[in-house]
Amino acid sequence: MATMLEGRRQTQPRSSPSGRETSLWSSGFGMKLEAVTPFLGKYRPFVGRCCQTCTPKSWESLFHRSITDLGFCSVILVKEENTRFRGWLVRRLCYFLWSLEQHIPPCQDAPQKIVESIGVQNLLSGRVPGGAGEGQAPDLVKKEVQRILGHIQASPRPFLVRLFSWALLRFLNCLFLNVQLHKGQMKMVQKAAQAGSPLVLLSTHKTLLDGILLPFMLLSQGLGVLRVAWDSRACSPALRILLRKLGGLFLPPEANLSLDSSEGLLARAVVQAASAPLGLWTGALAVLRSLWSHWGCSRRICSRVHLAQPFSLQEYIVSARSCWGGRQTLEQLLQPIVLGQCTAVPDTEKEQEWTPITGPLLALKEEDQLLVRRLSCHVLSASVGSAAVMSTAIMATLLLFKHQKLLGEFSWLTEEILLRGFDVGFSGQLRSLLKHSLSLLRAHVALLRIRQGDLLVVLRPGPGLTQLARLSAELLPVFLSEAVGACAVRGLLAGRVPPQGPWELQGILLMSQNELYRQILLLMHLLPQDLLLLKPCQSSYCYCQEVLDRLIQCGLLVAEETPGSRSACDTGRQRLSRKLLWKPSGDFTDSDSDDFEEAEGRYFRLSQQSHCPDFFLFLCRLLSPLLKAFAQAAAFLHQGQLPDTESGYTEQLFQFLQATAQEEGIFECADPKLAISAIWTFRDLGVLQQMPSPAGPRLHLSPTFASRENQQKLEQFIRQFICS
């Protein structure tokens, strides 16, 4: 295996005693130290902008023009300058003085406002089923409203909030070196808060510390305290009382009752009306207790909070309804193709909703439920896009995919991330970054010193590789379009050339644009929606063109001009038919593709550049853990014990993935999250059916896939996209 230092003597491939491939890290004597910066030229990329199609006004007005010139600040760094006072004593009491100066918004009229809300008043007047007009006295309903409201919230105690903020500030300074926040992102949030409308923040909850960091960050930046809904079953009664006095908000148990329950109806009306700004230090004491048990076990770390661009919910509601069109389930779209009953992909979008069904959601109209589900897709896409890629994710990817030159590949991959408009959460000397990353991954790798101080990095075989696969998955949103395209090309070539055939042989074959579109669509429908992050306002065919463009831009595909066809780069004579002239961008469907006459005669082939085979394999491997888990789930259908509950069958499949990993030595697929994703996808595909029973919903194997032949067809359909 070659060393990472260019110009040095090439080293022969080495193998660890366990047979695993290793990576050699040269000490780099005589090499110029290279610094890695999160900048592309003069500016760092801005991430997390809202949807320009659904919220064009917010996209323009709530964007900070000087965001690229603003740097970062540490929200836990409180000095004398952060208070109104100066002096020797102030420097020692600055934490306490800072907490006393924080503004706690009052909410004295909140109970009265909730009682006077439209939903609660309709119940009191009996204008809706289950209200006071059906035998209940208005006074009794008022008392019930007060009881539910008392369970949900209590008037926050400003002194307790300030005292807790002071204690939390001291604790965070003991736990973290710094908590970074982009000042430009906070400027946009503050600008949105100044509009006067309620500010709603949605978190992806990547760690348990979110319940501490987010409320503290908003309080420290002058935005008041955060209000979060919390399950009352997660806390003891004494803890609930304390958190309510800190501004806590807890959903009543009746909110999740059936829709025909009068108690549930009243509780949901009160919950929907509870909109005065309150604070919540949700689960803070539980998190502190869990962290305290590990106190002193590790060094202080750095943390970073990402904020996406805010947008107007009212603007989204108005514009999002105009983007709705006909959709079909995954079973209608993909099952006939999997079974070989047809070859044409239906001209419609996929309807795949995995939003948890709760009482408050069921209380909404069907149209509003669809609006909430599609809003969640937008929010998830923005939150994933705004998160910075960390050095451990890059290092885990390089180690997992057996890259040989860690120094050079780390620098290359960082540049590729920045070129695609994503941010990175690190900077510094390249060698120092690699040392730090390997120290964080020391539980999964072994470092062996060899000649002249060089390091040999050896992966530890075993379940620890699953953790590396989870870390490497953070790079998937960055290269998602290229990864989908590479796997689609692999599926297109699967029936033409052997999987282990030489790259030169695969580069000879021509692929038409329509064939590429079809394979991309098939893979798009197969992939879960929370992974694909396709916005509801974006059509599948526009995404297909985006994937194709990315493959051309990165040099994997080259256009092959056939005799008599117009050049692919000749845009001077492109014209649209009258049928398409009135359509907005993003509204092109399969029926419209017939109007593009040049698509029929456009062909592509794989590039023969030297870097293309490795890059193609790198892209395919990004999706391989998920696709392999799906393929193994298809192979497990004839072994699984059905009917069973969803949790029970998930445990069966997870144990099968673990057993297969032990046999094959490939632990990237042995992940319970991948098992859940496979079961949900198979349920939408019609492979598994969920039926009610006295003991609760149970999964059954569909009669269509009861035969071994159809199970093998499903497995073969999935494996065509896997590049070994």
Side-chain angles (χ1 to χ4, degrees):
M1 185 173 293
T3 64
M4 293 180 298
L5 179 60
E6 296 181 3
R8 292 190 51 161
R9 180 174 60 88
Q10 299 297 307
T11 307
Q12 295 299 323
R14 297 174 179 261
S15 298
S16 63
S18 61
R20 301 285 299 183
E21 292 194 24
T22 59
S23 299
L24 185 63
W25 179 7
S26 170
S27 60
F29 291 119
M31 183 179 65
K32 181 181 178 181
L33 292 178
E34 182 181 357
V36 177
T37 61
F39 298 94
L40 197 62
K42 288 180 59 178
Y43 306 103
R44 73 185 305 142
F46 174 73
V47 294
R49 296 207 69 173
C50 61
C51 180
Q52 189 176 12
T53 302
C54 297
T55 53
K57 294 181 180 178
S58 300
W59 190 87
E60 178 69 25
S61 62
L62 296 180
F63 179 71
H64 197 277
R65 295 298 176 186
S66 303
I67 191 170
T68 54
D69 300 330
L70 300 177
F72 287 83
C73 66
S74 179
V75 295
I76 63 173
L77 181 61
V78 175
K79 297 182 178 180
E80 178 185 4
E81 292 77 11
N82 299 107
T83 66
R84 296 178 298 167
F85 309 100
R86 298 292 182 269
W88 172 82
L89 185 61
V90 174
R91 286 193 292 271
R92 280 149 182 80
L93 298 177
C94 57
Y95 286 5
F96 183 73
L97 294 175
W98 172 87
S99 62
L100 292 179
E101 294 179 358
Q102 299 307 306
H103 173 65
I104 309 298
C107 54
Q108 301 175 353
D109 299 333
Q112 185 62 28
K113 290 181 179 179
I114 292 175
V115 173
E116 295 176 355
S117 65
I118 298 177
V120 175
Q121 286 297 316
N122 288 339
L123 287 172
L124 293 176
S125 61
R127 288 193 290 268
V128 295
E134 296 189 357
Q136 301 184 38
D139 293 339
L140 295 178
V141 178
K142 277 189 177 181
K143 291 182 180 180
E144 183 66 12
V145 169
Q146 293 289 346
R147 184 194 66 81
I148 297 174
L149 189 59
H151 181 91
I152 294 175
Q153 62 188 17
S155 298
R157 301 294 188 265
F159 174 75
L160 287 179
V161 174
R162 292 189 175 97
L163 181 63
F164 191 79
S165 300
W166 167 77
L168 186 59
L169 180 60
R170 295 193 64 88
F171 175 79
L172 291 176
N173 274 276
C174 295
L175 185 63
F176 295 104
L177 287 172
N178 58 68
V179 178
Q180 293 185 349
L181 175 67
H182 197 287
K183 291 187 286 188
Q185 294 177 348
M186 179 51 64
K187 288 286 186 183
M188 293 189 299
V189 176
Q190 291 173 343
K191 187 175 182 180
Q194 293 172 358
S197 300
L199 194 63
V200 180
L201 290 95
L202 301 178
S203 173
T204 53
H205 295 295
K206 289 194 172 183
T207 65
L208 290 174
L209 294 175
D210 289 352
I212 291 180
L213 290 178
L214 296 181
F216 178 82
M217 178 200 67
L218 294 177
L219 181 64
S220 65
Q221 300 300 313
L223 291 176
V225 278
L226 181 64
R227 174 190 180 181
V228 181
W230 187 251
D231 191 352
S232 59
R233 296 170 294 182
C235 302
S236 63
L239 184 58
R240 287 201 300 268
I241 294 175
L242 177 60
L243 291 179
R244 283 198 193 98
K245 292 183 178 180
L246 291 173
L249 181 146
F250 295 89
L251 289 179
E254 300 92 334
N256 285 321
L257 293 179
S258 59
L259 294 180
D260 55 357
S261 170
S262 59
E263 294 180 356
L265 192 64
L266 184 59
R268 286 188 290 271
V270 174
V271 169
Q272 293 173 3
S275 59
L278 295 174
L280 178 64
W281 301 94
T282 301
L285 298 183
V287 174
L288 291 178
R289 185 170 61 246
S290 64
L291 291 175
W292 187 262
S293 62
H294 301 285
W295 183 258
C297 296
S298 60
R299 297 170 295 177
R300 290 198 298 168
I301 59 177
C302 300
S303 180
R304 183 169 166 187
V305 179
H306 308 279
L307 295 173
Q309 182 184 2
F311 62 91
S312 170
L313 184 59
Q314 182 179 7
E315 180 187 8
Y316 173 80
I317 292 175
V318 173
S319 59
R321 296 182 190 275
S322 62
C323 298
W324 292 356
R327 290 174 178 255
Q328 291 183 355
T329 63
L330 185 61
E331 181 179 356
Q332 296 170 328
L333 287 172
L334 215 55
Q335 189 182 106
I337 300 176
V338 170
L339 299 178
Q341 298 173 356
C342 70
T343 57
V345 183
D347 178 17
T348 184
E349 303 293 328
K350 178 178 68 172
E351 186 67 36
Q352 186 182 44
E353 305 297 349
W354 289 358
T355 308
I357 304 299
T358 59
L361 182 62
L362 290 175
L364 301 176
K365 299 178 181 179
E366 184 177 356
E367 185 180 7
D368 294 334
Q369 291 182 26
L370 185 60
L371 184 67
V372 171
R373 292 189 178 106
R374 297 189 177 180
L375 175 63
S376 64
C377 295
H378 273 283
V379 173
L380 181 61
S381 176
S383 62
V384 172
S386 62
V389 179
M390 307 307 292
S391 60
T392 51
I394 298 178
M395 181 57 66
T397 304
L398 295 177
L399 293 175
L400 195 63
F401 299 158
K402 303 173 184 176
H403 283 253
Q404 303 174 4
K405 304 178 181 180
L406 291 183
L407 280 173
E409 298 291 347
F410 189 96
S411 180
W412 162 78
L413 201 50
T414 302
E415 184 179 354
E416 290 292 329
I417 293 171
L418 295 173
L419 282 171
R420 284 162 175 79
F422 283 77
D423 198 6
V424 294
F426 56 86
S427 62
Q429 295 294 337
L430 182 58
R431 286 176 49 82
S432 299
L433 284 173
L434 264 67
K435 284 183 178 180
H436 178 67
S437 302
L438 289 173
S439 67
L440 296 177
L441 300 175
R442 58 185 176 272
H444 313 298
V445 298
L447 303 180
L448 306 177
R449 291 192 177 275
I450 55 177
R451 53 175 177 75
Q452 298 182 0
D454 292 353
L455 287 179
L456 191 68
V457 184
V458 183
L459 286 177
R460 298 182 187 271
L465 297 179
T466 304
Q467 180 62 25
L468 292 180
R470 291 175 183 172
L471 291 173
S472 66
E474 296 181 13
L475 263 68
L476 186 55
V478 181
F479 299 93
L480 184 60
S481 298
E482 293 95 328
V484 170
C487 291
V489 171
R490 176 63 262 168
L492 186 58
L493 297 177
R496 302 183 182 181
V497 295
Q500 303 295 339
W503 182 262
E504 293 78 9
L505 179 61
Q506 300 182 25
I508 297 177
L509 300 177
L510 294 181
M511 299 169 286
S512 69
Q513 181 167 319
N514 288 340
E515 291 176 332
L516 289 170
Y517 275 179
R518 181 182 180 276
Q519 287 297 120
I520 295 173
L521 278 174
L522 292 179
L523 184 55
M524 282 177 55
H525 292 330
L526 178 65
L527 293 177
Q529 198 168 30
D530 59 345
L531 173 75
L532 198 59
L533 299 176
L534 186 64
K535 297 179 181 178
C537 59
Q538 184 180 10
S539 71
S540 298
Y541 283 89
C542 282
Y543 186 77
C544 287
Q545 185 60 50
E546 177 185 338
V547 169
L548 192 59
D549 292 342
R550 289 291 186 92
L551 292 179
I552 297 174
Q553 291 171 6
C554 67
L556 285 179
L557 285 185
V558 292
E560 183 72 16
E561 307 299 342
T562 57
S565 65
R566 183 172 59 85
S567 174
C569 59
D570 182 12
T571 59
R573 292 185 293 171
Q574 286 188 6
R575 61 183 179 85
L576 296 177
S577 64
R578 292 186 178 181
K579 180 181 179 182
L580 296 177
L581 287 177
W582 62 270
K583 282 183 173 285
S585 61
D587 196 22
F588 298 100
T589 58
D590 188 41
S591 60
D592 306 321
S593 62
D594 297 335
D595 296 303
F596 293 98
E597 299 175 358
E598 68 274 9
E600 291 291 338
R602 183 172 297 176
Y603 290 85
F604 300 89
R605 60 177 176 82
L606 290 174
S607 174
Q608 297 299 308
Q609 298 183 24
S610 59
H611 73 279
C612 288
D614 292 337
F615 189 50
F616 183 84
L617 186 61
F618 166 79
L619 294 175
C620 291
R621 282 179 171 175
L622 288 175
L623 281 174
S624 62
L626 176 71
L627 293 175
K628 287 181 180 178
F630 281 17
Q632 293 181 15
F636 179 68
L637 289 175
H638 74 284
Q639 302 180 23
Q641 302 297 323
L642 290 173
D644 197 356
T645 61
E646 182 178 307
S647 59
Y649 191 69
T650 302
E651 183 62 25
Q652 289 187 48
L653 178 57
F654 178 56
Q655 292 178 0
F656 175 76
L657 295 178
Q658 286 183 316
T660 306
Q662 293 288 348
E663 295 175 1
E664 300 179 356
I666 303 177
F667 292 87
E668 294 86 344
C669 308
D671 193 332
K673 293 183 179 179
L674 296 181
I676 295 174
S677 182
I679 290 176
W680 288 1
T681 301
F682 283 9
R683 185 184 59 192
D684 294 341
L685 187 56
V687 179
L688 301 174
Q689 295 178 345
Q690 192 170 22
M691 299 182 180
S693 69
R698 299 177 70 87
L699 290 176
H700 296 253
L701 185 62
S702 170
T704 305
F705 288 89
S707 65
R708 183 64 178 153
E709 180 183 0
N710 287 344
Q711 295 175 7
Q712 292 176 348
K713 288 181 179 179
L714 175 62
E715 184 179 359
Q716 292 172 0
F717 174 80
I718 299 173
R719 289 196 179 277
Q720 68 175 326
F721 301 109
I722 301 176
C723 186
S724 59

